[in-house]
Every structure is written in structure tokens, then in C-alpha cells.
Coordinates of all heavy atoms in Angstrom, one line a residue:
M848 N -2.3 1.4 -15.2 CA -2.6 2.5 -14.3 C -1.8 3.7 -14.8 O -0.6 3.7 -15.0 CB -2.1 2.1 -12.9 CG -2.1 3.3 -12.0 SD -1.3 3.2 -10.4 CE -1.2 1.5 -10.0
K849 N -2.5 4.8 -15.1 CA -1.9 6.0 -15.5 C -2.0 7.0 -14.3 O -3.0 7.4 -13.9 CB -2.7 6.6 -16.7 CG -2.0 7.8 -17.2 CD -2.6 8.4 -18.4 CE -1.9 9.6 -18.8 NZ -2.4 10.3 -19.9
Q850 N -0.8 7.3 -13.8 CA -0.7 8.1 -12.6 C 0.6 9.0 -12.8 O 1.5 8.7 -13.5 CB -0.5 7.3 -11.4 CG -1.8 6.6 -10.9 CD -2.7 7.5 -10.1 OE1 -2.5 7.6 -8.9 NE2 -3.6 8.1 -10.7
N851 N 0.6 10.1 -12.0 CA 1.8 10.9 -11.9 C 2.6 10.3 -10.7 O 2.0 9.7 -9.8 CB 1.4 12.3 -11.6 CG 0.7 13.0 -12.7 OD1 1.0 12.8 -13.8 ND2 -0.4 13.7 -12.4
F852 N 3.9 10.4 -10.8 CA 4.8 9.9 -9.7 C 5.6 11.1 -9.2 O 6.1 11.9 -9.9 CB 5.7 8.8 -10.3 CG 4.9 7.7 -10.9 CD1 4.9 7.6 -12.3 CD2 4.3 6.7 -10.1 CE1 4.2 6.5 -12.9 CE2 3.7 5.7 -10.7 CZ 3.6 5.6 -12.1
T853 N 5.9 11.0 -7.9 CA 6.8 12.0 -7.3 C 8.3 11.7 -7.7 O 8.6 10.6 -8.0 CB 6.7 12.0 -5.7 OG1 7.1 10.7 -5.3 CG2 5.3 12.3 -5.3
N854 N 9.1 12.7 -7.5 CA 10.5 12.5 -7.8 C 11.1 11.5 -6.7 O 12.0 10.7 -7.1 CB 11.3 13.8 -7.7 CG 11.0 14.7 -8.9 OD1 10.8 14.2 -10.0 ND2 11.1 16.0 -8.7
H855 N 10.5 11.5 -5.5 CA 11.0 10.6 -4.5 C 10.8 9.2 -5.0 O 11.7 8.3 -4.9 CB 10.2 10.8 -3.2 CG 10.3 9.7 -2.2 ND1 11.4 9.5 -1.5 CD2 9.4 8.8 -1.8 CE1 11.2 8.4 -0.7 NE2 10.0 8.0 -0.9
L856 N 9.6 8.9 -5.6 CA 9.4 7.5 -6.1 C 10.3 7.2 -7.2 O 10.9 6.1 -7.2 CB 7.9 7.4 -6.5 CG 7.5 6.0 -7.0 CD1 7.3 5.1 -5.9 CD2 6.2 6.1 -7.8
I857 N 10.5 8.1 -8.1 CA 11.3 7.8 -9.3 C 12.8 7.7 -9.0 O 13.5 6.8 -9.4 CB 11.1 8.8 -10.4 CG1 9.6 8.7 -10.9 CG2 12.0 8.7 -11.5 CD1 9.2 9.9 -11.7
N858 N 13.3 8.6 -8.1 CA 14.7 8.7 -7.8 C 15.2 7.8 -6.7 O 16.3 7.3 -6.7 CB 15.1 10.2 -7.6 CG 14.9 11.0 -8.8 OD1 15.1 10.6 -9.9 ND2 14.5 12.3 -8.5
D859 N 14.3 7.7 -5.7 CA 14.7 7.0 -4.5 C 14.1 5.6 -4.3 O 14.7 4.7 -3.6 CB 14.4 7.8 -3.2 CG 15.0 9.1 -3.2 OD1 16.1 9.3 -3.8 OD2 14.4 10.1 -2.7
R860 N 13.0 5.3 -4.9 CA 12.3 4.0 -4.7 C 12.1 3.2 -5.9 O 11.3 2.3 -5.9 CB 11.0 4.3 -4.0 CG 11.1 5.0 -2.7 CD 11.8 4.2 -1.7 NE 11.9 4.9 -0.4 CZ 13.0 5.2 0.2 NH1 14.2 4.9 -0.4 NH2 13.0 5.8 1.4
L861 N 12.7 3.5 -7.0 CA 12.5 2.8 -8.3 C 12.8 1.3 -8.2 O 12.0 0.5 -8.7 CB 13.3 3.5 -9.4 CG 12.9 3.0 -10.8 CD1 11.4 3.3 -11.1 CD2 13.8 3.8 -11.8
D862 N 13.8 0.9 -7.5 CA 14.2 -0.5 -7.3 C 13.0 -1.2 -6.6 O 12.6 -2.3 -7.0 CB 15.5 -0.7 -6.6 CG 16.7 -0.3 -7.4 OD1 16.6 -0.2 -8.6 OD2 17.7 -0.1 -6.8
R863 N 12.5 -0.6 -5.6 CA 11.4 -1.3 -4.8 C 10.1 -1.4 -5.7 O 9.5 -2.4 -5.7 CB 11.1 -0.5 -3.6 CG 10.0 -1.1 -2.8 CD 9.8 -0.5 -1.4 NE 9.4 0.9 -1.5 CZ 9.6 1.8 -0.5 NH1 10.2 1.4 0.6 NH2 9.2 3.0 -0.6
V864 N 9.8 -0.3 -6.4 CA 8.6 -0.3 -7.3 C 8.8 -1.4 -8.4 O 7.9 -2.1 -8.7 CB 8.4 1.1 -7.9 CG1 7.3 1.0 -9.0 CG2 8.0 2.0 -6.8
T865 N 10.0 -1.5 -9.0 CA 10.3 -2.5 -10.0 C 10.1 -3.9 -9.5 O 9.5 -4.7 -10.1 CB 11.7 -2.3 -10.6 OG1 11.8 -1.0 -11.1 CG2 12.0 -3.3 -11.6
H866 N 10.6 -4.1 -8.2 CA 10.4 -5.4 -7.6 C 8.9 -5.7 -7.4 O 8.5 -6.8 -7.7 CB 11.1 -5.4 -6.2 CG 10.9 -6.7 -5.5 ND1 11.5 -7.9 -5.9 CD2 10.2 -7.0 -4.4 CE1 11.2 -8.8 -5.1 NE2 10.4 -8.3 -4.1
I867 N 8.1 -4.7 -7.0 CA 6.7 -4.9 -6.8 C 6.0 -5.3 -8.1 O 5.3 -6.2 -8.2 CB 6.0 -3.7 -6.1 CG1 6.5 -3.6 -4.7 CG2 4.5 -3.7 -6.3 CD1 6.1 -2.2 -4.0
L868 N 6.4 -4.5 -9.1 CA 5.7 -4.7 -10.4 C 6.1 -6.1 -11.0 O 5.2 -6.7 -11.7 CB 6.1 -3.6 -11.4 CG 5.6 -2.2 -11.0 CD1 6.2 -1.2 -12.0 CD2 4.1 -2.1 -11.0
T869 N 7.3 -6.6 -10.8 CA 7.7 -7.8 -11.4 C 7.4 -9.0 -10.6 O 7.4 -10.2 -11.1 CB 9.2 -7.8 -11.7 OG1 9.9 -7.6 -10.5 CG2 9.5 -6.7 -12.8
T870 N 7.1 -8.9 -9.3 CA 6.8 -10.0 -8.4 C 5.3 -10.2 -8.1 O 4.8 -11.3 -8.2 CB 7.6 -10.0 -7.1 OG1 7.3 -8.8 -6.4 CG2 9.1 -10.1 -7.4
V871 N 4.6 -9.1 -7.7 CA 3.2 -9.3 -7.3 C 2.2 -8.4 -8.1 O 1.0 -8.6 -8.1 CB 3.0 -9.0 -5.8 CG1 3.8 -10.0 -5.0 CG2 3.4 -7.6 -5.4
G872 N 2.7 -7.3 -8.7 CA 1.9 -6.4 -9.5 C 1.2 -5.4 -8.5 O 1.2 -5.6 -7.3
V873 N 0.6 -4.4 -9.1 CA 0.0 -3.4 -8.3 C -1.5 -3.8 -8.0 O -1.9 -3.6 -6.8 CB 0.0 -2.0 -9.0 CG1 -0.8 -1.0 -8.3 CG2 1.4 -1.6 -9.2
G874 N -2.2 -4.4 -8.9 CA -3.5 -4.9 -8.6 C -4.5 -3.7 -8.6 O -4.3 -2.6 -9.1
E875 N -5.7 -4.0 -8.0 CA -6.8 -3.1 -7.9 C -6.9 -2.6 -6.5 O -6.7 -3.4 -5.5 CB -8.1 -3.8 -8.3 CG -8.2 -4.3 -9.7 CD -8.1 -3.1 -10.7 OE1 -8.8 -2.1 -10.4 OE2 -7.5 -3.3 -11.8
I876 N -7.2 -1.3 -6.3 CA -7.4 -0.8 -5.0 C -8.6 -1.3 -4.3 O -9.7 -1.2 -4.9 CB -7.3 0.8 -5.0 CG1 -6.0 1.3 -5.5 CG2 -7.7 1.4 -3.7 CD1 -5.9 2.7 -5.7
L877 N -8.5 -1.8 -3.1 CA -9.6 -2.3 -2.4 C -10.1 -1.4 -1.3 O -11.3 -1.2 -1.0 CB -9.3 -3.7 -1.7 CG -8.9 -4.8 -2.6 CD1 -8.5 -6.0 -1.7 CD2 -10.1 -5.2 -3.5
Y878 N -9.1 -0.7 -0.6 CA -9.4 0.2 0.5 C -8.6 1.4 0.4 O -7.4 1.4 0.1 CB -9.1 -0.6 1.8 CG -9.8 -1.9 2.0 CD1 -9.2 -3.1 1.7 CD2 -11.2 -2.0 2.3 CE1 -9.8 -4.3 1.8 CE2 -11.8 -3.2 2.4 CZ -11.1 -4.3 2.1 OH -11.8 -5.5 2.2
K879 N -9.2 2.5 0.8 CA -8.5 3.8 0.9 C -8.7 4.4 2.3 O -9.8 4.4 2.8 CB -9.1 4.8 -0.2 CG -8.8 4.4 -1.6 CD -9.3 5.5 -2.5 CE -9.0 5.1 -4.0 NZ -9.5 6.2 -4.9
F880 N -7.6 4.9 2.8 CA -7.6 5.5 4.2 C -7.0 6.9 4.1 O -5.9 7.1 3.6 CB -6.8 4.7 5.2 CG -7.3 3.2 5.2 CD1 -6.4 2.2 4.8 CD2 -8.5 2.9 5.7 CE1 -6.8 0.9 4.9 CE2 -8.9 1.5 5.7 CZ -8.0 0.5 5.3
Q881 N -7.7 7.9 4.7 CA -7.1 9.2 4.8 C -6.1 9.2 5.9 O -6.4 8.7 7.0 CB -8.2 10.2 5.1 CG -9.2 10.4 4.0 CD -8.6 11.1 2.8 OE1 -7.7 11.9 2.9 NE2 -9.1 10.7 1.6
E882 N -4.9 9.6 5.7 CA -3.8 9.7 6.7 C -3.2 11.1 6.6 O -3.6 11.9 5.8 CB -2.8 8.6 6.4 CG -3.2 7.2 6.5 CD -3.3 6.8 8.0 OE1 -2.7 7.4 8.8 OE2 -4.0 5.8 8.2
S883 N -2.3 11.3 7.5 CA -1.5 12.5 7.6 C -0.2 12.3 8.2 O 0.0 11.4 9.0 CB -2.3 13.6 8.4 OG -1.7 14.8 8.3
N884 N 0.8 13.0 7.6 CA 2.2 12.9 8.2 C 2.8 14.3 8.2 O 2.1 15.3 8.1 CB 3.0 11.9 7.4 CG 3.2 12.3 6.0 OD1 3.1 13.5 5.6 ND2 3.6 11.4 5.1
Q885 N 4.1 14.4 8.4 CA 4.8 15.7 8.5 C 4.6 16.5 7.3 O 4.8 17.7 7.3 CB 6.2 15.5 8.9 CG 7.1 14.9 7.9 CD 7.2 13.4 8.0 OE1 6.3 12.7 8.5 NE2 8.3 12.8 7.4
Y886 N 4.3 15.9 6.2 CA 4.1 16.7 4.9 C 2.7 17.1 4.6 O 2.4 17.7 3.7 CB 4.7 15.8 3.7 CG 6.1 15.4 3.9 CD1 6.5 14.1 4.2 CD2 7.1 16.4 3.9 CE1 7.8 13.8 4.4 CE2 8.5 16.0 4.1 CZ 8.8 14.7 4.4 OH 10.1 14.4 4.6
G887 N 1.8 16.6 5.5 CA 0.4 17.0 5.3 C -0.5 15.7 5.0 O 0.0 14.6 5.2
P888 N -1.7 16.0 4.6 CA -2.6 14.9 4.3 C -2.2 14.0 3.1 O -1.6 14.6 2.2 CB -4.0 15.6 4.1 CG -3.6 16.9 3.7 CD -2.3 17.3 4.3
N889 N -2.5 12.8 3.2 CA -2.3 11.9 2.1 C -3.3 10.7 2.1 O -4.1 10.6 3.0 CB -0.9 11.4 2.0 CG -0.4 10.9 3.4 OD1 -1.0 10.0 3.9 ND2 0.7 11.5 3.9
L890 N -3.3 9.9 1.1 CA -4.2 8.8 1.0 C -3.4 7.5 0.9 O -2.5 7.3 0.1 CB -5.0 9.0 -0.4 CG -6.2 8.1 -0.7 CD1 -7.3 8.3 0.4 CD2 -6.7 8.5 -2.0
H891 N -3.8 6.5 1.8 CA -3.1 5.2 1.8 C -4.1 4.2 1.2 O -5.2 4.1 1.6 CB -2.8 4.8 3.2 CG -1.7 5.7 3.8 ND1 -0.8 5.1 4.7 CD2 -1.3 6.9 3.6 CE1 0.1 6.1 5.0 NE2 -0.2 7.2 4.4
C892 N -3.6 3.5 0.2 CA -4.5 2.6 -0.6 C -3.9 1.2 -0.5 O -2.8 1.0 -0.8 CB -4.6 3.0 -2.1 SG -5.0 4.7 -2.3
I893 N -4.8 0.2 -0.1 CA -4.4 -1.2 -0.1 C -5.0 -1.9 -1.3 O -6.2 -1.7 -1.6 CB -4.9 -1.8 1.2 CG1 -4.2 -1.2 2.4 CG2 -4.6 -3.3 1.2 CD1 -4.7 -1.7 3.8
T894 N -4.1 -2.6 -2.0 CA -4.6 -3.3 -3.2 C -4.8 -4.7 -3.0 O -4.4 -5.3 -1.9 CB -3.5 -3.1 -4.4 OG1 -2.4 -3.9 -4.1 CG2 -3.1 -1.6 -4.6
D895 N -5.4 -5.4 -3.9 CA -5.7 -6.8 -3.8 C -4.5 -7.7 -3.9 O -4.5 -8.9 -3.6 CB -6.8 -7.3 -4.8 CG -6.4 -7.0 -6.2 OD1 -5.3 -6.4 -6.5 OD2 -7.1 -7.5 -7.1
T896 N -3.3 -7.1 -4.3 CA -2.1 -7.8 -4.3 C -1.2 -7.6 -3.1 O -0.1 -8.0 -3.0 CB -1.2 -7.4 -5.6 OG1 -1.0 -6.0 -5.5 CG2 -2.0 -7.8 -6.9
G897 N -1.8 -6.9 -2.1 CA -1.1 -6.7 -0.8 C -0.1 -5.6 -0.9 O 0.8 -5.5 -0.1
V898 N -0.3 -4.6 -1.8 CA 0.6 -3.5 -1.9 C -0.1 -2.3 -1.3 O -1.3 -2.1 -1.4 CB 0.9 -3.2 -3.4 CG1 1.7 -1.9 -3.6 CG2 1.7 -4.4 -4.0
L899 N 0.7 -1.5 -0.6 CA 0.2 -0.2 0.0 C 0.8 0.9 -1.0 O 2.0 1.0 -1.2 CB 0.7 0.0 1.4 CG 0.3 1.3 2.0 CD1 -1.2 1.3 2.3 CD2 1.1 1.7 3.2
I900 N -0.1 1.7 -1.5 CA 0.2 2.8 -2.4 C -0.1 4.1 -1.6 O -1.3 4.2 -1.1 CB -0.6 2.8 -3.7 CG1 -0.3 1.5 -4.4 CG2 -0.2 4.0 -4.5 CD1 -1.2 1.3 -5.7
I901 N 0.8 4.9 -1.4 CA 0.6 6.2 -0.7 C 0.5 7.3 -1.8 O 1.5 7.5 -2.6 CB 1.7 6.5 0.3 CG1 1.7 5.4 1.4 CG2 1.4 7.9 1.0 CD1 2.8 5.5 2.4
K902 N -0.6 8.0 -1.8 CA -0.9 9.0 -2.8 C -1.1 10.4 -2.2 O -1.3 10.5 -1.0 CB -2.2 8.6 -3.6 CG -2.1 7.4 -4.4 CD -3.4 7.2 -5.1 CE -3.4 6.1 -6.1 NZ -4.6 6.1 -6.9
S903 N -1.0 11.4 -3.0 CA -1.3 12.7 -2.6 C -2.8 12.7 -2.1 O -3.6 11.9 -2.6 CB -1.1 13.7 -3.7 OG -1.8 13.4 -4.8
A904 N -3.2 13.7 -1.3 CA -4.5 13.7 -0.8 C -5.6 13.9 -1.9 O -6.7 13.4 -1.7 CB -4.6 14.9 0.2
D905 N -5.2 14.5 -3.0 CA -6.2 14.6 -4.1 C -6.2 13.4 -5.0 O -6.9 13.4 -6.0 CB -5.9 15.9 -4.9 CG -4.5 15.9 -5.5 OD1 -3.8 14.9 -5.5 OD2 -4.1 16.9 -6.1
D906 N -5.5 12.3 -4.6 CA -5.5 11.1 -5.4 C -4.9 11.2 -6.8 O -5.1 10.4 -7.7 CB -6.9 10.5 -5.5 CG -7.0 9.0 -5.7 OD1 -6.0 8.4 -5.7 OD2 -8.1 8.5 -5.9
D907 N -4.1 12.2 -7.0 CA -3.5 12.6 -8.3 C -2.1 12.0 -8.5 O -1.7 11.8 -9.6 CB -3.5 14.1 -8.5 CG -3.0 14.5 -9.9 OD1 -3.5 14.0 -10.8 OD2 -2.1 15.3 -9.9
C908 N -1.4 11.8 -7.4 CA 0.1 11.5 -7.6 C 0.5 10.4 -6.6 O 0.1 10.5 -5.4 CB 0.9 12.8 -7.3 SG 2.6 12.7 -7.7
I909 N 1.2 9.4 -7.1 CA 1.7 8.4 -6.2 C 3.0 8.9 -5.6 O 4.0 9.2 -6.3 CB 1.9 7.1 -7.0 CG1 0.6 6.5 -7.5 CG2 2.6 6.1 -6.1 CD1 0.7 5.3 -8.3
I910 N 3.1 8.9 -4.3 CA 4.2 9.3 -3.5 C 5.2 8.1 -3.4 O 6.4 8.3 -3.6 CB 3.8 9.8 -2.2 CG1 2.9 11.1 -2.4 CG2 5.0 10.2 -1.3 CD1 2.2 11.5 -1.1
T911 N 4.7 7.0 -3.0 CA 5.5 5.8 -2.8 C 4.6 4.6 -2.7 O 3.4 4.7 -2.7 CB 6.4 5.9 -1.6 OG1 7.5 4.9 -1.6 CG2 5.7 5.8 -0.3
M912 N 5.2 3.4 -2.7 CA 4.5 2.1 -2.6 C 5.4 1.1 -2.0 O 6.6 1.1 -2.2 CB 3.8 1.7 -3.9 CG 4.8 1.2 -5.0 SD 4.0 0.6 -6.4 CE 3.3 2.0 -7.2
F913 N 4.8 0.1 -1.3 CA 5.6 -1.0 -0.8 C 4.6 -2.2 -0.5 O 3.4 -2.0 -0.4 CB 6.4 -0.6 0.4 CG 5.6 0.0 1.5 CD1 5.0 -0.7 2.5 CD2 5.6 1.4 1.6 CE1 4.3 -0.1 3.5 CE2 4.9 2.1 2.6 CZ 4.3 1.3 3.6
M914 N 5.2 -3.3 -0.4 CA 4.4 -4.5 -0.1 C 4.1 -4.5 1.4 O 5.0 -4.2 2.2 CB 5.2 -5.8 -0.4 CG 5.2 -6.0 -1.9 SD 5.7 -7.7 -2.4 CE 7.4 -7.7 -2.0
L915 N 2.9 -4.7 1.8 CA 2.5 -4.8 3.2 C 3.1 -6.0 3.9 O 3.2 -7.0 3.3 CB 1.0 -4.8 3.3 CG 0.3 -3.5 3.1 CD1 -1.2 -3.7 2.9 CD2 0.5 -2.5 4.2
T916 N 3.4 -5.8 5.1 CA 3.7 -6.9 6.0 C 2.4 -7.3 6.7 O 1.4 -6.4 6.8 CB 4.8 -6.6 7.0 OG1 4.3 -5.5 7.9 CG2 6.1 -6.2 6.4
E917 N 2.3 -8.5 7.3 CA 1.1 -8.8 8.1 C 0.9 -7.9 9.2 O -0.2 -7.4 9.5 CB 1.3 -10.3 8.6 CG 0.1 -10.8 9.2 CD 0.2 -12.3 9.6 OE1 1.2 -13.0 9.1 OE2 -0.5 -12.7 10.5
R918 N 2.0 -7.5 9.9 CA 1.9 -6.6 11.0 C 1.3 -5.3 10.6 O 0.5 -4.7 11.3 CB 3.3 -6.5 11.6 CG 3.3 -5.6 12.8 CD 4.7 -5.5 13.4 NE 4.8 -4.6 14.5 CZ 5.9 -4.4 15.2 NH1 7.0 -5.0 15.0 NH2 5.8 -3.6 16.3
R919 N 1.8 -4.7 9.5 CA 1.3 -3.4 9.1 C -0.1 -3.5 8.6 O -0.9 -2.6 8.9 CB 2.2 -2.9 7.9 CG 1.9 -1.5 7.5 CD 3.1 -0.7 7.6 NE 2.9 0.7 7.5 CZ 3.7 1.6 7.1 NH1 4.9 1.2 6.8 NH2 3.4 2.9 7.1
L920 N -0.5 -4.6 8.0 CA -1.9 -4.8 7.6 C -2.8 -4.8 8.8 O -3.9 -4.1 8.8 CB -2.1 -6.0 6.8 CG -3.5 -6.4 6.3 CD1 -4.0 -5.3 5.4 CD2 -3.5 -7.8 5.7
F921 N -2.4 -5.5 9.8 CA -3.3 -5.5 11.1 C -3.3 -4.1 11.7 O -4.4 -3.7 12.2 CB -2.7 -6.5 12.1 CG -3.2 -7.9 11.8 CD1 -2.4 -8.9 11.2 CD2 -4.5 -8.3 12.1 CE1 -2.8 -10.2 11.0 CE2 -5.0 -9.6 11.9 CZ -4.1 -10.5 11.3
A922 N -2.2 -3.4 11.7 CA -2.2 -2.0 12.2 C -3.2 -1.1 11.5 O -4.0 -0.3 12.1 CB -0.8 -1.4 12.2
Y923 N -3.2 -1.2 10.1 CA -4.2 -0.4 9.3 C -5.6 -0.8 9.7 O -6.5 0.0 9.8 CB -3.9 -0.6 7.8 CG -2.9 0.4 7.3 CD1 -1.6 0.0 7.0 CD2 -3.3 1.7 7.0 CE1 -0.7 0.9 6.5 CE2 -2.4 2.6 6.5 CZ -1.1 2.2 6.3 OH -0.2 3.1 5.8
W924 N -5.8 -2.1 9.8 CA -7.2 -2.6 10.0 C -7.7 -2.1 11.4 O -8.8 -1.7 11.5 CB -7.2 -4.1 9.9 CG -8.4 -4.5 9.2 CD1 -9.6 -5.0 9.7 CD2 -8.7 -4.4 7.8 NE1 -10.5 -5.3 8.7 CE2 -10.0 -4.9 7.5 CE3 -7.9 -3.9 6.7 CZ2 -10.5 -4.9 6.3 CZ3 -8.4 -4.0 5.4 CH2 -9.7 -4.5 5.2
K925 N -6.8 -2.2 12.4 CA -7.2 -1.8 13.7 C -7.5 -0.3 13.7 O -8.5 0.1 14.4 CB -6.0 -2.1 14.7 CG -6.4 -1.8 16.1 CD -5.2 -2.2 17.0 CE -5.6 -1.8 18.5 NZ -4.5 -2.2 19.4
A926 N -6.8 0.5 13.0 CA -7.0 1.9 13.0 C -8.2 2.3 12.2 O -8.9 3.3 12.5 CB -5.8 2.6 12.5
H927 N -8.6 1.5 11.2 CA -9.6 2.0 10.3 C -10.8 1.1 10.1 O -11.9 1.6 9.6 CB -9.0 2.3 8.9 CG -7.9 3.3 8.9 ND1 -8.2 4.6 9.0 CD2 -6.6 3.2 8.9 CE1 -7.1 5.3 9.0 NE2 -6.1 4.5 8.9
Q928 N -10.7 -0.2 10.3 CA -11.8 -1.1 10.0 C -12.2 -1.9 11.2 O -12.2 -3.1 11.2 CB -11.4 -2.1 8.9 CG -11.1 -1.4 7.6 CD -12.4 -1.0 6.9 OE1 -13.4 -1.6 7.0 NE2 -12.3 0.1 6.1
T929 N -12.5 -1.3 12.3 CA -12.7 -2.0 13.6 C -13.9 -2.9 13.6 O -14.0 -3.8 14.4 CB -12.8 -1.0 14.7 OG1 -13.9 -0.1 14.4 CG2 -11.5 -0.2 14.9
T930 N -14.9 -2.8 12.7 CA -16.1 -3.6 12.7 C -16.0 -4.8 11.9 O -16.9 -5.7 12.0 CB -17.3 -2.7 12.3 OG1 -17.1 -2.3 11.0 CG2 -17.5 -1.6 13.2
R931 N -15.0 -5.0 11.0 CA -14.9 -6.1 10.1 C -13.6 -6.8 10.3 O -12.6 -6.2 10.6 CB -15.1 -5.7 8.7 CG -16.5 -5.1 8.4 CD -16.6 -4.7 6.9 NE -15.8 -5.4 6.0 CZ -15.5 -5.0 4.8 NH1 -16.0 -3.9 4.4 NH2 -14.8 -5.8 4.0
H932 N -13.5 -8.0 9.9 CA -12.3 -8.8 9.9 C -11.6 -8.5 8.6 O -12.2 -8.2 7.5 CB -12.5 -10.3 10.1 CG -13.1 -10.6 11.4 ND1 -12.4 -10.6 12.5 CD2 -14.4 -11.0 11.7 CE1 -13.1 -10.9 13.5 NE2 -14.4 -11.2 13.1
I933 N -10.3 -8.7 8.6 CA -9.5 -8.6 7.3 C -9.9 -9.8 6.4 O -10.0 -10.9 6.9 CB -8.0 -8.7 7.6 CG1 -7.5 -7.5 8.5 CG2 -7.2 -8.8 6.3 CD1 -6.1 -7.7 9.0
P934 N -10.2 -9.5 5.2 CA -10.6 -10.6 4.3 C -9.5 -11.7 4.3 O -8.3 -11.3 4.1 CB -10.8 -9.9 2.9 CG -11.1 -8.5 3.3 CD -10.3 -8.2 4.5
Q935 N -9.8 -12.9 4.4 CA -8.8 -14.0 4.4 C -7.9 -14.0 3.2 O -6.7 -14.2 3.2 CB -9.5 -15.3 4.6 CG -8.5 -16.5 5.0 CD -7.7 -16.2 6.3 OE1 -8.3 -15.9 7.3 NE2 -6.4 -16.4 6.2
S936 N -8.5 -13.7 2.0 CA -7.8 -13.7 0.8 C -6.7 -12.6 0.8 O -5.6 -12.9 0.3 CB -8.7 -13.5 -0.4 OG -9.4 -12.3 -0.3
L937 N -7.0 -11.5 1.4 CA -6.0 -10.4 1.4 C -4.9 -10.8 2.4 O -3.7 -10.6 2.2 CB -6.6 -9.1 1.8 CG -5.7 -7.9 2.0 CD1 -5.0 -7.6 0.7 CD2 -6.5 -6.7 2.4
L938 N -5.3 -11.3 3.6 CA -4.3 -11.8 4.6 C -3.4 -12.9 4.0 O -2.2 -12.8 4.1 CB -5.0 -12.3 5.8 CG -4.1 -12.7 7.0 CD1 -3.2 -11.5 7.4 CD2 -5.0 -13.1 8.1
N939 N -3.9 -13.8 3.2 CA -3.1 -14.9 2.6 C -2.2 -14.3 1.6 O -1.0 -14.7 1.5 CB -4.0 -15.9 1.9 CG -4.8 -16.7 2.9 OD1 -4.5 -16.8 4.1 ND2 -5.8 -17.4 2.4
T940 N -2.6 -13.3 0.8 CA -1.8 -12.6 -0.2 C -0.6 -11.9 0.5 O 0.5 -12.1 0.0 CB -2.6 -11.6 -1.0 OG1 -3.6 -12.3 -1.7 CG2 -1.8 -10.8 -2.0
V941 N -0.9 -11.2 1.6 CA 0.2 -10.5 2.3 C 1.2 -11.5 2.8 O 2.4 -11.3 2.7 CB -0.4 -9.6 3.4 CG1 0.7 -9.1 4.3 CG2 -1.1 -8.4 2.8
R942 N 0.7 -12.6 3.4 CA 1.6 -13.6 3.9 C 2.5 -14.2 2.8 O 3.7 -14.5 3.0 CB 0.8 -14.7 4.6 CG 0.2 -14.3 6.0 CD -0.7 -15.3 6.6 NE -1.1 -14.9 7.9 CZ -2.1 -15.4 8.5 NH1 -2.9 -16.4 7.9 NH2 -2.5 -15.0 9.7
N943 N 1.9 -14.5 1.7 CA 2.6 -15.0 0.5 C 3.7 -14.0 0.1 O 4.8 -14.4 -0.3 CB 1.7 -15.5 -0.6 CG 1.0 -16.7 -0.3 OD1 1.4 -17.6 0.5 ND2 -0.2 -16.9 -0.9
N944 N 3.3 -12.8 0.0 CA 4.3 -11.7 -0.4 C 5.5 -11.6 0.5 O 6.6 -11.4 0.1 CB 3.6 -10.4 -0.5 CG 2.6 -10.3 -1.6 OD1 2.5 -11.1 -2.5 ND2 1.8 -9.2 -1.6
E945 N 5.2 -11.8 1.8 CA 6.4 -11.8 2.8 C 7.4 -12.8 2.4 O 8.6 -12.6 2.7 CB 5.9 -11.9 4.2 CG 5.2 -10.7 4.7 CD 4.8 -10.7 6.2 OE1 3.8 -11.3 6.5 OE2 5.6 -10.2 6.9
K946 N 7.0 -13.9 1.8 CA 8.0 -14.9 1.4 C 8.8 -14.5 0.2 O 9.8 -15.1 -0.1 CB 7.2 -16.2 1.1 CG 6.5 -16.8 2.3 CD 5.7 -18.0 1.9 CE 4.8 -18.5 3.1 NZ 3.9 -19.5 2.7
K947 N 8.3 -13.5 -0.6 CA 8.9 -13.1 -1.8 C 9.9 -12.0 -1.6 O 10.5 -11.5 -2.6 CB 7.9 -12.7 -2.8 CG 6.9 -13.8 -3.2 CD 5.8 -13.3 -4.1 CE 4.9 -14.4 -4.5 NZ 3.8 -14.0 -5.3
R948 N 10.0 -11.5 -0.4 CA 10.9 -10.3 -0.1 C 12.4 -10.7 -0.4 O 13.0 -11.5 -0.2 CB 10.7 -9.8 1.3 CG 9.4 -9.1 1.4 CD 9.2 -8.6 2.8 NE 7.9 -8.1 2.9 CZ 7.6 -6.8 2.8 NH1 8.6 -5.9 2.8 NH2 6.4 -6.3 2.9

């Protein structure tokens, strides 16, 4: 994956990113959700390895990333995918990742 990274990711979250890369990997993006916070619009991406990647709204720069918890996955799903169930494989992956924390 070739992406730009924020200083926040490099300076403040490098240990977490290293842990993600060495335990579960980043994987492929399955779902993208438009979100917004105090800094403005951004893009939340869920990968097939159960990682949430938060990117700039233009999809150009990774702001941060972390492994999803089951609770957070359900919250995203409730907010954005109300007509479909969470794929069982993704739910299983997130549950397995919670054991690796």
C-alpha cells in the first residue's frame, strides 16, 4: 500500500501501526464510510483483516488506524449498513483479533 501518513500517525501511533502490521496486516478495504469529526470530514475504511483505517476525506492520507473491536464494528454497521448483516467472516476476524491485543 502506497499512502501518505500524517505526523500524528508517524509520531504518536507508530507502535500501534507496527503491531497491526506484524499481527494481522492491513488487508484490503471492504467498506468505506464518510464521517466527520472536530477536524472536518474524513473517510473510515474497514479492511478484511478487521482494521479500521481513518483517512483524509480525499482518500489521499492515512490519519490513523486501529484494530476494530466487536462493539465498534456493530456500531459502524448500525450507523451505515442497516439493510445487511455483518459478514460472518469479518465478524470472526474481529473476534480473533481481540484475542491478539
